[in-house]
Structure formats: structure tokens, C-alpha cells
Amino acid sequence: MIRVHNFLFILFVLLITSSCQKRPDPVNNTSIVKSPKVKFEITHMADGKDLNKDTWYINQNGDSIRISRFDYFISNIRFTKTDGNIYTEPESYHLIQEKNAPSKLFTIDIPEGSYSSMSFIIGVDSARNVSGAQTGALEPNSGMFWDWKTGYIMAKLEGESPQSTNFSSKFIYHIGGFAGTENALRTVKLSFNNSLLVGNDKTPTIHIKADAMEFFKTPNKISVKDTYTVMSTTDAAQKIANNYSDMFSIDHID
Amino acid sequence: MKKQLTILSTILFAGIATFISCKPDPSFEPKVSAPIAFNVPQGWPQPVYNFNGNNKLTREGFELGRKLFYDPRLSRDNTVSCGSCHQQFSGFAQIDHPVSHGVDDLLGPRNSPALFNLNWHTSFMWDGGINHIESQPVAPIQNPVEMDETLDNVLNKLRGDATYRTMFKAAFGDETINTQRMSWAFAQFMGMMVSADSKYDKYKRGEAGVAMTTQELAGYEVFKQKCASCHKEPLFTDFSFRNNGLAVTTENDSGRATITLNTNDLYKFKMPSLRNLKYTWPYMHDGRFNTLDQVLNHYTTGIVQSPTLDAGLATGIPLTTNEKEDLLSFLNTLNDEAFTKNPLFAEPQ
């Protein structure tokens, strides 16, 4: 009989705690707070000219190159104020893809102020490489994630070259690795010639150029004949990461 | 009496449930399933992964993970599910299959590993290439000789299924279906697969009526002297990577070196647990041994010398015939039949 009592008691509790009150509707009157912003417009280049998938380029080694894919992550965007204070964009992960024009145009919120320089990482910081499933720009369905050796491909350049000894004359550079001697993360720092002024009535656009041919040069001259496939954390990956660490430049700001 | 109570309870509950139900309010969603909890077995170390981070364990998330685990639509031709190569009756390995068997009857290079106690694992796969339980499921899904499907296709199949949309909403608050949520659900299901109810476990917990035989205890002593340094209790693995002296086959699987690119890691593989061996045969990273006798004979007389051979195996592991018998008797106490038959982990009906 004790069990019956217990059961009735539970029912009683259920009865008095359940209610038919309607859940409030989601609030849909969020006041629009205008935050100052900075726009980014990235243009992909090859040897100083606008990148064209049909154009043959010559790399520093003299190899003929045609580029079919040029993708990379930009993360941890930071702006340094003229007074030395630093603003870091929260959840700062941006996947830039040559074939996806909107990915090259993005806007971030930033506090009002006068800024002297900015920096970002090419790739995805190590923390997000060891923290399990991610989403947003870091969804692993972009072709920028190694499922067999957990981690993001920081930057990717693919194309063809008659100098490649790959069966289909392809070259494939997938640059990844986030720890120790395999670390392919590279930090880019770009200074503004004049202070960048950001305010509610002033949204500057930073026009950045990224030159894909930098994968092949300075400090390491890459020969496509010798290096046509990089798909792991090899020495070649480190060389190429060092090469492209200077592929970004500010063209102009308006 | 008991039966009467049950009937009485049912009638009462049905009556009360009707009375308290708020039919006119469509936003009322009764939670029908019992809550679920992850418990660290007594005497075990804290796991590497728990559900205290972004991925909160719920019954709804677990059930979604279970449905996904057994759904062949996650493969390219809708024929192979996770459960195809990870069968519950086989300790979530694939019995009698030396290597994994994927779409189009394609064979992989390695043995499907048994799945249990995964929240304690520091890495996944025989080569340890995967560093997080949430990052694991996308690998077999995309592997061309396993399920060979793209994540985009998988997500689109799920988004096109009203049941999944409902289940994702129940688990994560809205109908958004993405890789992260899918991976979280998988981690909830697979992380809950704790196998800690073998005779050995009951003995260690001092449960009433559980006694080891003289031979099992003798085998336990042999184990402690000759096996326990790598197959560390209570998980029966130290999760290290070692070359255990297997002859290199034509497959020439580099093992851990595939990931680290370090020649010092050549032919090293992740230490498997000794739990549930009765169900998980064949053994080794390529399933080359069908029986535990073959495994023990390998350690006594079959070790192949090589530069990366584990130092502890340089002269093999000497075992007398009696010691082998005792050891096998002890290993048999590590089989957790309740785990292999737990309806919680079975294919949903």
C-alpha cells in the first residue's frame, strides 16, 4: 500500500506543478543597436594581377601554373588602436574561397576609435582544432577539414602545371597542422598608413589583396616538379606556409 | 497484488494525464522519455570527455545519436550504417571480419575497433589520428571504402526527413541540422556506451555472491605481472601507441607514423582494451588472429624484431601452458554480456 501512497503523492505533485500557462512568444522587438563596423573586401591576385582561372602564370621556379582553387581561413582578427588598446573580434573565423565571391566581402563589428594596425591568423587557431565539432565557418563540410588527422586545412591551393609529375598534371597544396613543429598557423600584421577612423557615421572598407603566387616564393622557391602534392604536415607544408605568410597587403582604404 | 497496483496506476495515470493535459496550447510538448545520466563507474579515473561542455547529455540527444548510428542513409548508397561494422553483439566491433567492410563490398585496411568506454579515450582510430570523440563520426562517413558519403548529402538526407527534424529540435531546441549537432548526438550515444559490468568489475566492487575461481585469480596474477603495464586497469589499455611485433604484411600499414610522419612511430598502433574479447574477434589492427590462443602464441614465440618494436617485447612474453590457461580464464572475466545485450544501445525499433 505504501507504493500506492507514493504514487498518489507523485500524481498530486504533478497536478499542482503542471500548468496550462502559455509560454511567452519569442520577443521580436529587439531594438536595433547600431554598432560601428569595418568592411573587408579581399581581391585575389596572381603575380600582381587579378586572379583568373584560365590564365597561365609562371612561378619563380619557371613552372607554368593555372589555379583552380584558392581557399583559406582568416581567424582571430585584431585591431590595435593608436593608444595601444587591442580589440579582438569574438568568434572570429572567416573562410575565404576564391569561387565564392560573397566570402571575400565581410563586415565585422568594431568599437568606435582610431586604429593604427590590424592582425589576423591565416588558418584556424589550435584551440578549435582540439575542441570537437564546430559550426559556422568551421563546419567540416567545406573541404577544409582533415577527418583522418583531426584539424583544419589552413590554406589550400590547387591547379595544374605541365611540370607536375602527378598523373593528371595537377598540383595540390593542402596546408594544415596546428601544434609544435607541424604548426602551419601564420600571423599577418598589416599597418594603416593613416589612422583608420571608425565610428557610427564612418564605416571604412579595407581593400586587401591576397596573391596566390606567393605560395611558390619567398623565402622558399617551390618547384612543382618536386612538390606537386602536399596533403599532410610535411616540411614542404611548413615551407609553403612561410611563403604565403606575406601574401596579404592593403591596397587601399575607403 | 503487484499486477493490481500496475493496473490501478495505469488507470489513475491515464485519467490524471487527460485531466492535466493542455490540449488547446500547441506549444506544450510533453517529455515522454526518462532522463539519462552518464556515471563514472566506481573506482575508475575521470573520463577525458564528459557532457559538461557545449554538448549537454539529454535523452533526446542520446536517442538521436542512436538513430543516426543505425541509419544506413548516412552512407552513399544507403546500405551501410555505423552499426554495420560496429555490432552490439560483437562489443560494437564486427565479428568474423578481419577488416572493415564498406559500400560496394569495399574492404578497408584495418579491423573495426570495438566501441565502449570511449569517453576515456585520448584519441581515436588505430593510428590515433582523431583527437576528439566529436570529430570521430565524420571520418567513416566520408571514407571512400567505408560509407563514402559527403557531409552535405548526409545533412540533406536528414533535413528532408520530418522525423529527424523533430528529433533535432527535441535534442537541440530547433530544427537546425548541421554537422556539429549530428556529431554531438553521436557523442552522446557513443559516450554513454560504458562497459563496466563484467565479472571482474563485480568482483572489484565487492558485489555479494561474486567470487573469482582459483584459476581466474591465478590468471589475474599472470596478467598483473605480464600484461598490465600496457593493458592498464580498469580500462585495460593505457591508450599508448606501440609496435607489438606483428610481421609487416603487404598492406605495409605504417600505423601511428601515418599521422606523426615520424619514423620512430612506424608500425605502432593504439593499445586496444582487453575487455569484451569474447565478442570482438578477430584481433589486432588487421584482424589477423581469430583466437586468443593465436594472440598469446604471438607474444610467446611470434614477436618479429624491428627498430620500433616495443622495448618490453624484445624477448617476447614467456608464458607456460598453465599460465596461458590461467590467463585466458582471467580474460574471460572481462566479458560484459550485459553490455552487449543492453537494450539502451540496441537498434531502435
Side-chain angles (χ1 to χ4, degrees):
Chain A
M1 276 323 275
I2 289 167
R3 285 186 50 179
V4 174
H5 283 140
N6 282 346
F7 186 72
L8 288 173
F9 176 71
I10 291 166
L11 282 179
F12 180 68
V13 172
L14 266 175
L15 253 179
I16 58 168
T17 54
S18 62
S19 88
C20 296
Q21 209 166 30
K22 240 185 148 73
R23 287 194 306 219
D25 287 304
V27 182
N28 207 6
N29 60 349
T30 322
S31 56
I32 297 155
V33 180
K34 215 180 154 204
S35 164
K37 297 179 191 311
V38 165
K39 287 183 184 170
F40 286 85
E41 186 171 336
I42 298 175
T43 307
H44 286 167
M45 316 291 289
D47 276 343
K49 300 186 191 73
D50 282 6
L51 176 61
N52 183 314
K53 66 178 171 52
D54 299 318
T55 303
W56 287 96
Y57 302 97
I58 308 289
N59 73 5
Q60 200 179 40
N61 193 53
D63 309 326
S64 295
I65 298 293
R66 200 153 69 166
I67 292 167
S68 59
R69 188 159 177 173
F70 178 34
D71 299 347
Y72 50 89
F73 284 101
I74 285 178
S75 70
N76 295 23
I77 297 178
R78 292 170 160 225
F79 279 84
T80 304
K81 282 187 170 173
T82 45
D83 66 8
N85 282 324
I86 294 172
Y87 171 73
T88 304
E89 184 195 20
E91 204 52 34
S92 182
Y93 301 97
H94 304 270
L95 172 59
I96 317 296
Q97 295 168 300
E98 163 58 14
K99 284 179 187 163
N100 178 8
S103 74
K104 288 178 266 185
L105 305 169
F106 60 93
T107 303
I108 71 169
D109 292 342
I110 178 173
E112 187 175 13
S114 167
Y115 295 88
S116 58
S117 68
M118 62 171 293
S119 69
F120 55 82
I121 290 173
I122 308 174
V124 175
D125 54 75
S126 62
R128 294 299 175 103
N129 283 279
V130 297
S131 308
Q134 305 295 321
T135 191
L138 302 182
E139 274 279 325
N141 61 350
S142 57
M144 297 293 278
F145 182 78
W146 280 332
D147 62 15
W148 56 279
K149 173 175 176 168
T150 311
Y152 287 90
I153 295 172
M154 310 306 179
K156 187 181 253 195
L157 190 75
E158 296 177 4
E160 57 185 305
S161 167
Q163 279 75 31
S164 167
T165 49
N166 184 332
F167 64 95
S168 51
S169 301
K170 296 276 195 285
F171 70 88
I172 300 172
Y173 299 153
H174 295 180
I175 312 303
F178 53 86
T181 55
E182 297 185 341
N183 190 341
L185 295 166
R186 295 295 181 270
T187 301
V188 174
K189 190 179 174 194
L190 300 172
S191 297
F192 308 125
N193 286 335
N194 304 306
S195 303
L196 181 80
L197 297 173
V198 182
N200 279 330
D201 54 350
K202 178 127 185 71
T203 300
T205 301
I206 305 173
H207 297 262
I208 290 176
K209 289 181 168 180
D211 196 314
M213 292 304 283
E214 292 292 337
F215 273 62
F216 298 98
K217 64 182 181 189
T218 56
N220 306 298
K221 194 196 289 184
I222 301 295
S223 149
V224 179
K225 181 171 178 290
D226 299 332
T227 305
Y228 52 85
T229 303
V230 180
M231 294 179 81
S232 190
T233 52
T234 55
D235 292 342
Q238 286 296 308
K239 285 181 178 171
I240 291 173
N242 288 338
N243 285 354
Y244 67 56
S245 64
D246 64 352
M247 72 176 171
F248 293 97
S249 59
I250 295 179
D251 186 63
H252 66 285
I253 296 171
D254 56 21
Chain B
M1 181 61 186
K2 204 170 177 184
K3 198 172 179 183
Q4 280 178 338
L5 271 180
T6 312
I7 294 166
L8 177 67
S9 308
T10 311
I11 293 168
L12 265 174
F13 186 75
I16 301 290
T18 312
F19 179 67
I20 63 169
S21 69
C22 305
K23 235 353 189 327
D25 184 354
S27 69
F28 181 72
E29 287 152 17
K31 293 259 190 283
V32 287
S33 359
I36 200 164
F38 174 74
N39 298 312
V40 176
Q42 184 187 321
W44 283 32
Q46 283 303 307
V48 173
Y49 186 77
N50 52 38
F51 301 104
N52 299 334
N54 291 326
N55 188 19
K56 304 283 186 226
L57 178 69
T58 61
R59 168 66 79 162
E60 290 78 9
F62 171 88
E63 292 296 348
L64 174 58
R66 173 156 83 155
K67 184 172 168 65
L68 289 164
F69 187 88
Y70 287 105
D71 192 340
R73 284 177 295 171
L74 270 56
S75 64
R76 189 212 333 126
D77 60 1
N78 305 324
T79 61
V80 176
S81 73
C82 306
S84 302
C85 294
H86 299 284
Q87 304 159 324
Q88 184 176 17
F89 66 84
S90 181
F92 291 100
Q94 192 176 19
I95 216 160
D96 201 18
H97 282 65
V99 292
S100 62
H101 188 165
V103 294
D104 297 338
D105 287 335
L106 290 165
L107 297 178
R110 294 176 184 154
N111 182 254
S112 299
L115 308 181
F116 49 80
N117 304 335
L118 297 175
N119 279 1
W120 283 263
H121 283 229
T122 48
S123 68
F124 299 86
M125 299 295 200
W126 281 103
D127 57 23
I130 294 171
N131 67 16
H132 199 287
I133 190 171
E134 293 171 10
S135 302
Q136 169 62 40
V138 299
I141 289 173
Q142 297 187 119
N143 192 313
V145 296
E146 294 183 47
M147 296 160 86
D148 193 30
E149 184 58 295
T150 67
L151 286 175
D152 283 336
N153 284 349
V154 168
L155 295 176
N156 285 333
K157 288 179 197 177
L158 301 181
R159 287 167 186 149
D161 181 325
T163 305
Y164 271 118
R165 291 197 300 272
T166 305
M167 291 181 81
F168 272 84
K169 184 178 181 188
F172 299 114
D174 62 52
E175 290 189 357
T176 303
I177 296 179
N178 59 30
T179 314
Q180 184 182 54
R181 287 180 168 188
M182 181 176 74
S183 304
W184 281 354
F186 267 125
Q188 292 192 30
F189 177 60
M190 291 191 284
M192 277 296 292
M193 290 182 186
V194 176
S195 176
D197 213 15
S198 65
K199 183 176 182 182
Y200 159 87
D201 294 300
K202 292 173 183 168
Y203 168 76
K204 294 296 266 191
R205 289 195 292 260
E207 286 187 18
V210 178
M212 298 276 245
T213 67
T214 312
Q215 187 175 36
E216 286 164 354
L217 288 171
Y220 192 15
E221 289 308 311
V222 176
F223 163 81
K224 283 196 253 190
Q225 286 167 30
K226 305 192 174 182
C227 316
S229 62
C230 300
H231 295 287
K232 200 177 159 202
E233 293 174 81
L235 291 148
F236 290 88
T237 165
D238 64 355
F239 302 114
S240 63
F241 299 92
R242 297 175 195 254
N243 174 348
N244 67 341
L246 294 169
V248 175
T249 66
T250 50
E251 179 72 34
N252 195 23
D253 189 336
S254 302
R256 181 66 177 158
T258 315
I259 302 303
T260 63
L261 307 177
N262 184 341
T263 51
N264 293 327
D265 290 331
L266 271 173
Y267 310 124
K268 292 183 181 178
F269 293 90
K270 191 175 153 201
M271 187 67 51
S273 173
L274 299 184
R275 289 176 171 273
N276 296 319
L277 293 173
K278 178 181 175 183
Y279 321 109
T280 61
W281 65 278
Y283 309 107
M284 302 295 153
H285 67 272
D286 54 5
R288 70 178 65 188
F289 297 138
N290 279 331
T291 68
L292 291 175
D293 287 327
Q294 289 173 301
V295 173
L296 295 186
N297 288 339
H298 165 72
Y299 286 115
T300 53
T301 56
I303 297 288
V304 175
Q305 301 292 323
S306 70
T308 58
L309 176 66
D310 194 74
L313 295 175
T315 56
I317 300 176
L319 291 167
T320 65
T321 307
N322 279 344
E323 284 175 327
K324 282 183 187 174
E325 285 171 6
D326 293 347
L327 192 52
L328 290 173
S329 178
F330 170 69
L331 292 176
N332 197 41
T333 70
L334 301 180
N335 298 320
D336 180 357
E337 191 159 332
F339 173 72
T340 65
K341 292 183 174 168
N342 188 341
L344 192 61
F345 308 127
E347 184 166 1
Q349 296 305 311

